[in-house]
């Protein structure tokens, strides 16, 4: 049987720890450029669709939602391929090239008038409908757009785990540095978004979309040589085969072998060919032990015991022969899934930042002195909050928590996710109260039926942005690190990609909830909550209270799973 050091060296290559600081640093620069390239278009794309491609408002909104949701869901594909076939290093490079090609296509189309539908002026000719993009022009648009989505998905599925792979988890100091990496990874997401929603959006609105796409193209192109510059220092995990194959094999074997007994001798024999990789342990869960390699598992654990049937002396067929290690790895994945599912509701709340919250601000006074702030620039609030909170959290809150709790992490992954979920509850309550105040001002001012800006500053909306931005920082960074550190080594990229899948599902769920609310309230009251001649006729405050209740129930559901969860270090110490 392989020793721990042999197992470790067979899983990793190209690792020299003292040389790794450049490898860690340039990941953050690359992520700034990548998120700039993506959000520079996604944040303003609905305008491009409606004004230049002549889609209807509904079609434009749905096209943007589909694009963003697809990009984040494709992170699962990027994570899967990274684990199964190629390293995260190669998946990032291929994905960056794909996104670059997609942006080149979009830039060419935006620059050439013959590749877009003819311009039209509805004010000058109100009876002449604008010609919507179709045929080859539409094909070019969506080919470029979904090449970008494919590239973004691959990058999101490979870059975070690639950065985390640079840290040797055998020592507490390295594990602390990995936690800092994930924290500043979210900071860099916000920094890229800040440039995108300010400078690049201004360029698109004032200089032309060809320049906006061009900036995005240059940004993703620049990220490639910066990433390559760290190649001599990178620590790369060798792919371990398809994680879906392992999961499927264990589930099918457990189902077919139900009722048979487990033969421990055959279990030990099957383990000889699949030694356990080093598993990080930490003081985060109060064990106080240093990181060690874990002995090969000889008998299955008692949790999720129905999966233990997969280890059988007489499997249904040779292809379904499972080791105890494989069974335990599948158990880990199944225990992670409820935590992942509980974060979807938070991302459903975050979807309101780009929908109803923007419409609320648009009905209010958006002037700051002589400057009039466009409502579409409101995402700057959560972005700035994240950029302020990230270093405060890493340099002040966490050291203080470590001192108080006497643990390695100070605040555990699950505690951090829980804080984010709780803040989302507070955010929805504040959003409801702000909407009550906004409608009260509209009523008192006699502007219920008017489209004029209300005499109330849009800075009131900043309160819900503050709490939702904080919730995003806590939960996204916590979930990324939780999935990476808890998942089996062979499935880490795929598990980390669940964080992005949660974001996509949350946005889709938001649309579903809005549709259900309108349908149910339309039947019971003959007037849907979220309809009317303008936002003042909506019952948006009731919708926010509903989101508050759903978030609170989701938080209770999360506490149930979080309190039952045992970290890998706790499991391995028993």
């Amino acid at each position: 049987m392989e020793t721990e050091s042999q197992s470790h060296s067979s899983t990793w290559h190209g690792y020299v720890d003292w040389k790794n600081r450049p490898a860690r640093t340039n990941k953050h620069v690359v992520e700034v450029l990548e998120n700039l390239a993506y959000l520079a278009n996604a944040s303003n794309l609905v305008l491009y669709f409606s004004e230049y491609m002549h889609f209807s408002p509904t079609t434009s909104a749905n096209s943007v939602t589909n694009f963003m949701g697809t990009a984040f869901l494709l992170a699962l594909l990027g994570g899967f391929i990274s684990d199964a076939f190629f390293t995260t290093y190669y998946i990032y490079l291929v994905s960056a090239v794909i996104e670059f090609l997609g942006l080149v296509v979009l830039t060419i189309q935006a620059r050439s008038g013959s590749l877009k539908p003819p311009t039209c002026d509805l004010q000058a000719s109100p009876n002449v409908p604008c010609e919507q993009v179709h045929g080859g022009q539409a094909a070019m648009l969506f080919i470029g757009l979904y090449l970008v989505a494919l590239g973004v998905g691959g990058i999101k599925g490979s870059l975070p785990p690639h950065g985390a792979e640079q840290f040797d988890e055998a020592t507490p100091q390295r594990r602390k540095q990995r936690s800092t990496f994930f924290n500043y990874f979210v900071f860099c997401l916000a920094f890229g978004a800040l440039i995108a929603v300010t400078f690049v959006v201004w360029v698109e609105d004032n200089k032309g979309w060809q320049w906006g796409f061009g900036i995005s193209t240059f940004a993703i192109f620049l990220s490639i040589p910066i990433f390559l510059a760290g190649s001599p220092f990178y620590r790369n995990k060798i792919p371990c085969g398809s994680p879906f194959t392992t999961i499927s094999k264990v589930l099918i074997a457990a189902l077919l072998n139900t009722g048979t007994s487990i033969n421990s001798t055959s279990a030990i024999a099957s383990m000889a060919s699949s030694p356990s990789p080093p598993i990080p342990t930490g003081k985060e869960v109060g064990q106080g032990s240093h990181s060690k390699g874990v002995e090969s598992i000889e008998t299955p654990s008692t949790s999720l015991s129905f999966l233990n049937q997969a280890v059988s002396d007489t499997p249904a067929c040779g292809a379904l022969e499972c080791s105890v290690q494989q069974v335990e790895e599948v158990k880990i994945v199944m225990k992670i899934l409820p935590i992942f599912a509980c974060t979807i509701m938070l991302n459903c709340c975050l979807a309101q930042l780009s929908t109803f919250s923007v419409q609320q601000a648009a009905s209010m006074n958006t002037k700051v002195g002589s400057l009039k702030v466009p409502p579409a620039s409101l995402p700057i609030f959560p972005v700035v909050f994240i950029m302020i909170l990230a270093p405060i959290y890493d340099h002040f809150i966490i050291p203080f928590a470590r001192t108080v709790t006497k643990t390695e992490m100070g605040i555990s992954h699950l505690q951090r996710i829980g804080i984010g979920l709780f803040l989302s509850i507070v955010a929805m309550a504040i959003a409801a109260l702000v909407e009550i105040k906004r409608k009260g001002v509209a009523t008192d001012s006699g502007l219920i039926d008017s489209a004029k800006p209300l005499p109330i500053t849009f800075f009131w909306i900043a309160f819900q942005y503050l709490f939702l931005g904080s919730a995003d920082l806590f939960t996204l960074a916590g979930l990324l690190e939780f999935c990476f550190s808890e998942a089996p080594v062979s499935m880490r990229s795929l598990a980390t990609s669940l964080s992005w899948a949660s974001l996509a599902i949350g946005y889709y769920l938001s649309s579903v909830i809005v549709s259900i609310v309108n349908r149910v309230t339309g039947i019971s009251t003959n007037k849907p909550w979220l309809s009317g001649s303008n936002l003042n006729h909506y019952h948006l405050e009731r919708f926010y209270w509903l989101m508050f209740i759903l978030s609170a129930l989701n938080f209770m559901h999360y506490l149930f799973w979080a309190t039952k969860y045992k970290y890998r270090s706790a499991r391995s110490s028993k």
Side-chain angles (χ1 to χ4, degrees), residues 83-107:
D83 283 332
F85 306 112
F86 304 99
T87 63
T88 52
Y89 174 87
Y90 289 116
I91 294 302
Y92 172 81
L93 288 176
V94 171
S95 300
V97 171
I98 291 174
E99 184 176 354
F100 171 75
L101 293 175
L103 287 168
V104 168
V105 171
L106 293 175
T107 303

Side-chain angles (χ1 to χ4, degrees), residues 174-502:
R174 295 292 181 263
R175 293 194 295 274
K176 291 177 183 179
Q177 290 175 346
R178 185 176 66 190
S179 182
T180 295
F181 164 78
F182 280 113
N183 196 50
Y184 275 95
F185 182 84
V186 177
F187 173 90
C188 291
L189 284 174
F191 188 38
L194 177 65
I195 301 173
V197 301
T198 53
F199 172 68
V200 182
V201 168
W202 180 88
V203 169
E204 290 169 345
D205 290 343
N206 294 275
K207 301 298 181 181
W209 272 85
Q210 68 272 21
W211 291 104
F213 285 131
I215 292 173
S216 297
T217 304
F218 177 74
I220 198 66
F221 175 78
L222 183 61
S223 74
I224 296 174
I226 293 176
F227 182 83
L228 287 172
S231 297
F233 310 107
Y234 289 150
R235 180 181 189 241
N236 295 311
K237 178 174 70 71
I238 298 174
C240 303
S242 171
F244 288 131
T245 300
T246 302
I247 295 171
S248 301
K249 183 170 71 171
V250 169
L251 293 176
I252 294 173
L255 180 64
L256 295 179
N257 297 338
T258 300
T260 63
S261 60
I262 299 176
N263 186 309
S264 60
T265 303
S266 65
I268 297 172
S270 66
M271 271 302 302
S273 60
S274 69
S276 175
I279 298 176
T281 64
K283 299 180 181 179
E284 172 185 350
V285 291
Q287 297 303 314
S289 61
H290 296 290
S291 180
K292 301 176 183 178
V294 176
E295 298 294 329
S296 294
I297 304 172
E298 297 185 353
T299 56
S301 62
T302 56
S303 63
L304 299 176
S305 58
F306 68 93
L307 290 178
N308 295 345
Q309 303 299 327
V311 183
S312 174
D313 192 25
T314 56
C317 66
L320 293 178
E321 184 177 355
C322 301
S323 68
V324 178
Q325 179 69 28
Q326 290 173 324
V327 171
E328 292 305 304
E329 287 181 349
V330 173
K331 287 182 180 182
I332 291 171
V333 173
M334 294 188 69
K335 291 173 182 177
I336 288 175
L337 289 179
I339 303 298
F340 148 76
C342 289
T343 64
I344 293 174
M345 191 63 212
L346 164 66
N347 290 309
C348 185
C349 295
L350 285 172
Q352 312 312 316
L353 295 181
S354 57
T355 55
F356 291 123
S357 294
V358 173
Q359 295 181 46
Q360 283 178 288
S363 70
M364 303 164 81
N365 179 11
T366 60
K367 287 187 176 181
V368 180
S370 59
L371 175 66
K372 186 174 182 179
V373 179
S377 295
L378 277 179
I380 195 174
F381 281 123
V383 163
V384 170
F385 290 145
I386 288 174
M387 292 181 64
I388 294 173
L389 284 172
I392 292 176
Y393 178 85
D394 197 69
H395 296 289
F396 297 100
I397 297 177
I398 285 299
F400 177 75
R402 286 171 179 155
T403 301
V404 172
T405 62
K406 307 297 183 183
T407 59
E408 179 183 301
M409 297 300 294
I411 299 175
S412 71
H413 306 143
L414 293 179
Q415 288 171 343
R416 186 170 187 178
I417 295 171
I419 291 171
L421 296 179
F422 178 78
L423 289 174
S424 70
I425 301 173
V426 177
M428 289 296 96
I430 291 176
L433 294 173
V434 169
E435 175 61 9
I436 291 172
K437 180 176 179 60
R438 190 196 67 82
K439 289 183 69 173
V441 171
T443 302
D444 295 340
S445 305
L447 297 174
I448 286 288
D449 298 311
S450 175
K452 294 181 179 179
L454 301 177
I456 177 175
T457 178
F458 76 119
F459 279 111
W460 280 97
I461 302 295
F463 288 109
Q464 61 210 58
Y465 276 89
L466 168 64
F467 281 92
L468 279 175
S470 303
D472 192 26
L473 171 65
F474 277 96
T475 299
L476 180 57
L479 186 61
L480 283 168
E481 186 176 2
F482 170 75
C483 290
F484 182 89
S485 60
E486 291 297 295
V489 172
S490 61
M491 305 180 187
R492 279 180 166 176
S493 297
L494 179 64
T496 306
S497 301
L498 289 174
S499 304
W500 309 111
S502 173

